[in-house]
Every structure is written in structure tokens, then in C-alpha cells.
Amino acid sequence: MSAGRGGTARRTPFVLLVVVLLGSGLISLLVLNSALNQGSFELERLERRTTELEDERQALQQEVDRLSAPDALERRARELGMVPGGSPVFLGPDGTVRGVPDPAGSSSVLRAPAPRPPWATTGTPQDPSATRPDPGR
């Protein structure tokens, strides 16, 4: 009988070790599975929030586009008391003035043809008194 008892006594620590290893492995798997599920829930929440923020960004971009349309800008400028500028005047590289300025808010601005850029204008300035004297003379 002592031989049977000695064999069982020697196996007990091994069996306990195997049981502890299996138990700790199962607990580790449970903890890992719970962490993965928690991460999955967090990912789903963040994806939903991202979708909401993207929808909000698109709505804000549409509002910016609507408010920056030329007719909306003109309407808002008139509400603020602004008037259209007069005809533009261009200064040449030699100091000559090309074009005749109109006062701001004049009705001719709305009917005036588009001004020509300075590089397309040739000849002498239309208003000789508007020519600046050359400071080097």
C-alpha cells in the first residue's frame, strides 16, 4: 500500500500544476475575449461618431457654399450698407493712369462693360491730369 500512496503523493503536485495552468489559461481567454468585445463596442461607437461628424461637416460645407454664392454676398453687403465700387483705374509701370474712375455706388457700374486689363490697354492715358510726374526729372 505504501507504493500506491507514494505514487499518488508524487502525482498530486503535477495534477495541481496542470489544473492551475488550465484554469489560468481559461481565465486568460475569458479576459482576452472580454477585452476584444469591449474594443469592438468602442470601435462601433467611434465609427458612428465619425459618421455623425462627417454628416455635420457636409452640412456646414453646404451652408458655406450657399452663403459664399455671389448673390448671397451681394445681398449681405447691401444689408451692411455697402455699395458697388466704381470703374477700376489701372496704373501703368511708368506711372500713367489708364481709365476714368467713377464714384462708388454710381449706377454706371452695373451697366459698364468689363474693364480691360492694363496689358491690353495701349496708347496714352485718357486723363492727362491724372498722370503722375516722374520723380527722377
Side-chain angles (χ1 to χ4, degrees):
M1 270 207 200
S2 68
R5 255 186 175 180
T8 305
R10 282 187 267 163
R11 287 188 192 166
T12 304
F14 177 72
V15 171
L16 285 176
L17 177 64
V18 169
V19 169
V20 168
L21 287 176
L22 287 175
S24 62
L26 289 175
I27 291 173
S28 297
L29 285 175
L30 181 64
V31 168
L32 182 63
N33 192 22
S34 297
L36 288 175
N37 283 338
Q38 183 64 29
S40 175
F41 290 135
E42 181 71 12
L43 180 63
E44 183 180 336
R45 186 186 66 81
L46 290 174
E47 286 175 344
R48 190 175 36 234
R49 180 71 175 142
T50 300
T51 303
E52 291 170 0
L53 290 174
E54 182 62 27
D55 291 345
E56 184 179 351
R57 187 196 66 79
Q58 287 178 355
L60 290 172
Q61 184 62 47
Q62 287 175 352
E63 185 177 355
V64 166
D65 292 342
R66 181 182 57 82
L67 292 175
S68 63
D71 59 333
L73 290 175
E74 179 186 10
R75 184 177 59 252
R76 183 69 180 133
R78 289 191 188 278
E79 289 172 2
L80 294 172
M82 300 172 116
V83 294
S87 295
V89 177
F90 300 99
L91 296 177
D94 59 351
T96 58
V97 177
R98 299 182 191 264
V100 178
D102 288 337
S106 66
S107 61
S108 65
V109 172
L110 300 176
R111 294 185 305 251
R116 295 187 312 180
W119 59 84
T121 307
T122 58
T124 59
Q126 295 175 1
D127 185 7
S129 64
T131 305
R132 287 189 335 202
D134 188 0
R137 290 185 195 179

